[in-house]
Amino acid sequence: MTGAEVESGSQDDTAHRPVPHPHDVPAGTTTRFALLIAVVAATSSTMFMLLHLLVPANSARQVDAQKSCFAEVSGLPPLAGPDEVPLRAEAAARAMRCLAPVYLDEVSWAGYGLVLLFGLAVVLYWLQPWWIIRRRRLVPISAENCPELLAYLGELSQKVGLARPPAWLLAPYNATAGGRSFGHVRRRRVQLDAGLVILYSTDRAAFRAVVLHELAHLWNRDVDKTYLTMAIWRAYVVVALIPFVGGLLIAIPLGWSVTALTGRWTGTLAVLGSLLALTALVYLTRNAILHVRETHADAIAAVHDGPDGALRGLVGRLRAPAGPWWRALLSTHPDARQRLAAIDDPAVLARPSLWVLAGAGIAAGMLATDLGFVFDFLFVTTAAFSRGLAGLVTALVLSGLLAVTLWHAAAGDPARRLRWTWLLCPAVLAAGFVLGEHLSLFHASVRWDQPGGGLGGGVAVVLTTLLLVVGGVLLAGWTLSVLRLALTPVTPRRRWAPFAVVAATGVVAAPWFAAWFVLHGLDLALWTPILGSVPGTGAEIGWYRTLSWWTDFTWLPLRYLDGNPLTLPGLTLLWLVPIVITLRRRGSGTPAGAPAMRLDRPLTTGLVGGIAVMVIGVALSYVAKSALPLNVRQDTTFTTGTTYFGYVQLSTYITLAVLAQAVVAGLVAARVRRHRPALVALAVSLTGTLAAIGWLGVLMFSRCVDLYGNAPTRCVPTVSLPDLTGYLHTILIKGLILAVPGALLGAAVSALRRRRSHPATPASGPAGARGVPVVVIALLAAVMIVAPLSGLPGDWNIWTGHVSSSSAVPDDEGDAKPPPQTTPTSATSAGRDISPQETTVDTCVVGTWIETANESHVKSPGGVDVRFTSAGRVQRFRADGTAVLDFGTGNVTTGTFDGKTLRSVSSGTITFRYDTGAGQILYSSPMASGTTTVTIDGVVQETRALEASVEPEHYVCQGDVMTQTGASFTIQLARTSRTG
């Protein structure tokens, strides 16, 4: 970039800092242009798929395909045992392959529509220069007829910093004193109106100011984005908006009751309202791009025009739009007051626009909803994977927009304290996201009238949104601190650094947002922390039982964080990116490769913390041998309702490591001020990694002292690499969560101490041992980035629901082994014996389960198979042989028959007695309390008391995943608690 630096303000009382030139402030057009594309793509793709269903032939073809394709699945006999699971899976796969053509036909409409829309936009953009020249009858300004004018224009092009001057064209029939920049790449053109050329002789300063403004557009490279923006808006109206509205207007009078769109007039109004809001968002996004390009061009032109130039006077004479304030939003040019503010103080260009950020959040919410719908279809048998993939894509959009906004804010003055920006931006973005989810056409056409069970309640929405805001605030704090490193003049200036920070922000945020997104639309019970289970042997020992409860503390979102291979690399980038950014170049006064950040304190503190965890872990193993009886330490029974000594030992060690990371975070935050987020993350990562490796030492010591009472022949334990990686994941993820309050407490103590003693700010510089920190950092980064590769097969199983995330558990010697298959035998729960005469309960079934997918098939009076789907019901199986089926405040089951949407909404609970045997769950003594409301196309047909069924069901239970099947249904469940 070009341009001189201007001295303004001070970093402290004695030193002055350079304020970046307006050329260095990102214009924001790229961000808004990406936002426009996202909104148009998300909205129009849903329009095209709904248009497909508005055609009666397409709707009838889809209904017929569902009848024939599911006939084979519905006709299968009840599942008799685990050996028949592959048979049913193959039948389901054949049904999906049978349905694929009709569903792909629907998706193809969206694909063809998007190709047509953006193809038309490209054509319009490409023809725009030809149309402008033809319509305005422009003629070239050549050296033969205007040599002096052409030479002067060349001087202005060089002054702005253009590598090559544009082609100059005259609009002879336009008497206004304006101009226009347009053209394609490497063929830029600038139109000069006839009235403007007259000013060249009568008012050279005004002529110069207008030309500089147009050249500033070329320097800012906003011409292509401007005309593509206009082309995309026109193509959206022609290809998507008009056909969709026309299709609705045709379908309503003809009575095409093929979707929820036309089933009820209220549903149609909901869709039209969503369509109006989304079109307004597209239009306002278009105008936002046009506004920001003008203000940024004014600021750049003002620098070259000088303080005595005529630009400010020309802008000041522009008329302000008459009428209310919102009229300015509809204009393609910004208000004159905004343009004057950019000329007088270019720093206003860096102020984040909360309105634009809210619009970005709305676009991301719409994109997430539509992607979730498409991915649910593409990955119909792996719901968690489809939602997780949609969450990853959405996270990249949200985090990228947040990072670019903060970059925009920090670019004006990296040393300026942005007191509220890092708090307001995530909050506005999260609020816009939640609003965007409800504004999407898919939500309006499918989910607008479904009663909320789970997260449909207002309290649940507020709680999960607050959790999203808290995560965004933490991410914004880290991003802003690293961006200041990348932008401040005292560090080695690297032009790639801000882009690296933006990319790192996306990788850091993606796994956390994906875990949040998978669960945020489900029952609130999934967000409830779960305490561990009681020891199978030794439950009568109070402290041991309490230790088992609290150290085995789990939280379902951690399961998806643990199973995401991006989680550990993201944690690595928290400290690796700032360190790389601050590496000194050769000849900068410090040895090449020496970090500019002081790494000695965090590395020393992290090293001491990791060693302390190992030492304490060994000591606790020695204490356990003395404090616990031999029969407790020899217990190797693993069930879902109880734990055993080896598992309690591992859980205790992990908890110890997590607490140590919180302490390390507090100590580092209290001792350092500069680069605090990165250095805290570095110290915590080192402690957690050393603690995970140290578990091998604890196991070796435990075997050598015969802690498990089995007289091992060797001390060296056998721990697989995937299991060790799993321990590393768990320790670092839980440790980072607990490190946040630890670091905040340490920072508060440090601030209080500074207020009392007023110490001098420590200087930043290289650590004393220059070579050692670099080696330690390189090894630590390699371990955290490469380690997740060994666990990829297990990660895939977690997201697809094939096995539990706890499929590997420590055996009696602390090594890993798969969970044993439980059989229907007597069990012990909470110290109470349950004999086979009372009930026969498979301990694998005991617990609280959430239905992730429920599919049933019912024959209509005409013999047609009707498929119903639902999710979110809670099943609780207790060890005493009682069970509860909880529908919540309104569980929705939906199906389609003869083009009509059938929906039943159930609320309340059903209690049973149950026992297990021969792979079946047998129910008895049902008691129902609640209601069921049945609707067809939104019209209530009946409301009746909740009914119970005691039909036995076959089940396959493995870890935290269970499948229930009957004559006409299949239910997939995930365990949320080990107690019912």
Side-chain angles (χ1 to χ4, degrees):
M1 294 182 180
T2 61
E5 291 184 338
V6 181
E7 298 288 322
S8 176
S10 62
Q11 185 175 10
D12 49 41
D13 295 335
T14 58
H16 292 277
R17 64 175 182 271
V19 175
H21 191 280
H23 288 68
D24 295 331
V25 180
T29 51
T30 302
T31 305
R32 290 163 174 82
F33 183 68
L35 171 61
L36 176 71
I37 293 177
V39 176
V40 170
T43 304
S44 56
S45 61
T46 310
M47 285 184 186
F48 296 137
M49 285 191 287
L50 294 177
L51 270 174
H52 174 272
L53 292 179
L54 280 176
V55 180
N58 294 336
S59 177
R61 178 168 173 253
Q62 192 171 105
V63 171
D64 293 340
Q66 290 172 349
K67 294 176 184 178
S68 60
C69 294
F70 283 115
E72 181 181 359
V73 179
S74 61
L76 287 176
L79 188 67
D83 294 338
E84 297 184 11
V85 172
L87 178 63
R88 295 186 66 91
E90 176 58 28
R94 287 197 301 271
M96 294 311 300
R97 287 194 295 268
C98 175
L99 285 171
V102 293
Y103 283 132
L104 289 177
D105 187 34
E106 180 181 351
V107 174
S108 67
W109 273 51
Y112 295 145
L114 289 176
V115 170
L116 179 61
L117 190 154
F118 288 105
L120 177 60
V122 171
V123 171
L124 293 177
Y125 156 76
W126 193 258
L127 294 177
Q128 187 71 24
W130 170 82
W131 177 250
I132 292 175
I133 295 173
R134 178 181 176 84
R135 182 184 179 187
R136 297 178 179 269
R137 291 180 284 183
L138 305 182
V139 295
I141 300 176
S142 62
E144 288 76 12
N145 52 20
C146 299
E148 182 182 352
L149 173 62
L150 200 61
Y152 183 72
L153 293 174
E155 293 176 5
L156 293 181
S157 299
Q158 293 179 358
K159 183 177 182 63
V160 173
L162 298 180
R164 54 187 302 177
W168 301 94
L169 302 175
L170 174 66
Y173 304 100
N174 197 340
T176 60
R180 176 193 293 259
S181 55
F182 63 101
H184 299 145
V185 178
R186 303 187 66 83
R187 293 195 64 187
R188 300 300 187 197
R189 301 175 175 92
V190 175
Q191 167 195 324
L192 303 181
D193 295 344
L196 179 62
V197 174
I198 294 175
L199 292 180
Y200 174 74
S201 302
T202 60
D203 191 347
R204 182 69 59 87
F207 174 84
R208 182 173 183 269
V210 174
V211 173
L212 285 174
H213 176 90
E214 298 304 327
L215 292 174
H217 285 306
L218 300 182
W219 187 93
N220 194 40
R221 296 186 295 274
D222 62 28
V223 173
D224 294 319
K225 285 171 280 191
T226 299
Y227 288 100
L228 277 173
T229 295
M230 301 297 294
I232 290 173
W233 163 252
R234 292 163 181 160
Y236 168 78
V237 173
V238 173
V239 178
L241 184 61
I242 293 177
F244 185 73
V245 174
L248 285 180
L249 295 178
I250 294 174
I252 294 173
L254 293 181
W256 292 351
S257 181
V258 294
T259 65
L261 288 174
T262 56
R264 289 179 67 188
W265 65 269
T266 51
T268 303
L269 286 180
V271 172
L272 292 177
S274 174
L275 177 63
L276 179 62
L278 296 177
T279 301
L281 179 61
V282 173
Y283 183 77
L284 294 177
T285 305
R286 183 203 74 158
N287 288 354
I289 295 174
L290 302 180
H291 287 188
V292 72
R293 73 183 291 263
E294 294 296 334
T295 54
H296 200 270
D298 284 334
I300 294 176
V303 172
H304 298 293
D305 197 32
D308 299 328
L311 181 63
R312 194 186 190 287
L314 292 175
V315 173
R317 289 196 293 270
L318 296 176
R319 291 184 179 180
W325 62 271
W326 53 265
R327 283 280 185 88
L329 298 176
L330 304 180
S331 173
T332 57
H333 277 68
D335 185 275
R337 289 166 294 187
Q338 298 176 355
R339 301 179 66 172
L340 288 174
I343 293 173
D344 294 337
D345 183 12
V348 302
L349 297 172
R351 294 176 186 172
S353 172
L354 297 182
W355 288 107
V356 172
L357 206 59
I362 293 173
M366 293 163 39
L367 180 66
T369 303
D370 294 337
L371 282 178
F373 169 69
V374 175
F375 289 165
D376 282 345
F377 158 68
L378 294 177
F379 309 101
V380 67
T381 59
T382 55
F385 177 75
S386 65
R387 292 189 62 83
L389 185 59
L392 285 176
V393 175
T394 308
L396 295 177
V397 175
L398 280 173
S399 60
L401 290 168
L402 178 62
V404 170
T405 301
L406 295 174
W407 176 11
H408 196 207
D413 187 355
R416 181 169 59 94
R417 297 187 63 185
L418 303 172
R419 296 180 180 274
W420 299 107
T421 300
W422 64 284
L423 292 174
L424 285 178
C425 289
V428 172
L429 198 61
F433 177 83
V434 174
L435 179 60
E437 285 189 301
H438 292 81
L439 279 178
S440 69
L441 276 175
F442 173 71
H443 187 279
S445 61
V446 178
R447 297 178 177 174
W448 70 275
D449 61 345
Q450 291 187 7
L455 284 191
V459 174
V461 172
V462 171
L463 290 178
T464 52
T465 303
L466 285 177
L467 186 62
L468 180 62
V469 171
V470 170
V473 167
L474 295 175
L475 182 68
W478 175 85
T479 304
L480 190 58
S481 68
V482 183
L483 280 171
R484 283 172 171 162
L485 278 178
L487 297 172
T488 184
V490 299
T491 56
R493 299 301 299 273
R494 293 174 169 87
R495 298 182 62 177
W496 52 262
F499 298 97
V501 176
V502 173
T505 301
V507 177
V508 170
W512 298 82
F513 183 84
W516 179 88
F517 188 72
V518 167
L519 300 174
H520 92 287
L522 301 178
D523 196 279
L524 189 59
L526 297 177
W527 291 92
T528 305
I530 305 169
L531 292 178
S533 52
V534 299
T537 303
E540 68 280 359
I541 305 175
W543 67 267
Y544 182 56
R545 180 173 178 173
T546 302
L547 186 68
S548 175
W549 278 346
W550 289 101
T551 57
D552 193 22
F553 169 90
T554 57
W555 194 36
L556 191 56
L558 296 179
R559 175 185 184 187
Y560 295 108
L561 282 170
D562 179 70
N564 196 317
L566 291 177
T567 303
L568 285 193
L571 298 183
T572 308
L573 295 180
L574 288 176
W575 48 266
L576 185 59
V577 170
I579 292 176
V580 172
I581 288 176
T582 56
L583 288 178
R584 299 288 186 183
R585 293 190 178 96
R586 294 184 181 273
S588 60
T590 57
M597 301 168 62
R598 289 194 61 87
L599 303 175
D600 49 348
R601 288 182 177 177
L603 288 178
T604 302
T605 307
L607 178 64
V608 172
I611 295 175
V613 173
M614 301 183 211
V615 173
I616 297 175
V618 169
L620 290 178
S621 299
Y622 183 80
V623 171
K625 184 176 182 180
S626 304
L628 291 174
L630 181 61
N631 68 317
V632 174
R633 292 183 279 114
Q634 286 182 324
D635 179 24
T636 60
T637 305
F638 184 86
T639 70
T640 57
T642 61
T643 54
Y644 64 107
F645 175 72
Y647 190 85
V648 175
Q649 182 191 21
L650 173 62
S651 299
T652 303
Y653 183 82
I654 291 176
T655 302
L656 174 65
V658 171
L659 293 175
Q661 288 171 277
V663 173
V664 166
L667 292 175
V668 174
R671 298 181 65 188
V672 302
R673 291 184 59 189
R674 304 191 63 181
H675 323 309
R676 180 179 285 158
L679 295 179
V680 167
L682 173 62
V684 167
S685 298
L686 181 58
T687 297
T689 302
L690 291 177
I693 298 174
W695 172 244
L696 298 176
V698 174
L699 284 181
M700 183 180 298
F701 174 82
S702 300
R703 293 165 64 100
C704 288
V705 300
D706 195 15
L707 175 63
Y708 310 108
N710 57 359
T713 58
R714 58 189 179 90
C715 294
V716 179
T718 303
V719 179
S720 67
L721 185 59
D723 292 331
L724 190 60
T725 299
Y727 305 150
L728 179 64
H729 263 93
T730 302
I731 290 173
L732 286 176
I733 293 170
K734 289 185 176 181
L736 180 66
I737 294 175
L738 203 60
V740 172
L744 293 177
L745 179 61
V749 171
S750 175
L752 182 62
R753 186 177 58 191
R754 287 198 311 272
R755 180 173 296 182
R756 292 181 176 178
S757 59
H758 300 286
T761 302
S764 176
R770 296 182 180 125
V772 174
V774 175
V775 174
V776 172
I777 288 170
L779 291 176
L780 181 61
V783 170
M784 293 182 62
I785 293 176
V786 176
L789 297 179
S790 64
L792 288 179
D795 295 342
W796 175 253
N797 290 332
I798 290 175
W799 287 97
T800 56
H802 293 161
V803 297
S804 167
S805 59
S806 302
S807 58
V809 296
D811 61 12
D812 57 318
E813 298 179 2
D815 299 342
K817 67 176 183 179
Q821 295 295 324
T822 56
T823 57
T825 59
S826 61
T828 302
S829 178
R832 175 178 176 269
D833 291 334
I834 302 174
S835 65
Q837 289 75 18
E838 291 178 338
T839 184
T840 303
V841 174
D842 184 348
T843 54
C844 183
V845 174
V846 176
T848 300
W849 303 80
I850 182 75
E851 294 183 5
T852 57
N854 185 325
E855 179 179 318
S856 59
H857 297 266
V858 179
K859 294 293 185 181
S860 70
V864 177
D865 178 70
V866 182
R867 174 175 174 261
F868 289 89
T869 59
S870 66
R873 297 190 303 183
V874 177
Q875 298 188 27
R876 299 184 179 92
F877 293 94
R878 301 189 178 97
D880 60 1
T882 61
V884 178
L885 178 59
D886 190 349
F887 292 86
T889 59
N891 184 263
V892 180
T893 301
T894 58
T896 301
F897 172 66
D898 196 20
K900 300 181 183 297
T901 299
L902 311 181
R903 181 180 289 113
S904 67
V905 183
S906 300
S907 60
T909 59
I910 303 175
T911 60
F912 303 89
R913 294 288 302 177
Y914 81 100
D915 57 19
T916 58
Q920 285 187 311
I921 302 177
L922 306 175
Y923 298 98
S924 61
S925 305
M927 294 182 61
S929 174
T931 60
T932 297
T933 300
V934 179
T935 64
I936 298 180
D937 280 344
V939 180
V940 177
Q941 304 296 312
E942 65 171 329
T943 299
R944 61 175 182 266
L946 188 64
E947 299 175 352
S949 171
V950 292
E951 175 187 356
E953 56 194 20
H954 294 268
Y955 75 98
V956 176
C957 179
Q958 185 178 21
D960 292 338
V961 176
M962 181 164 60
T963 302
Q964 299 172 343
T965 55
S968 60
F969 65 87
T970 301
I971 304 174
Q972 301 289 338
L973 303 102
R975 190 195 308 273
T976 62
S977 172
R978 293 176 179 174
T979 59

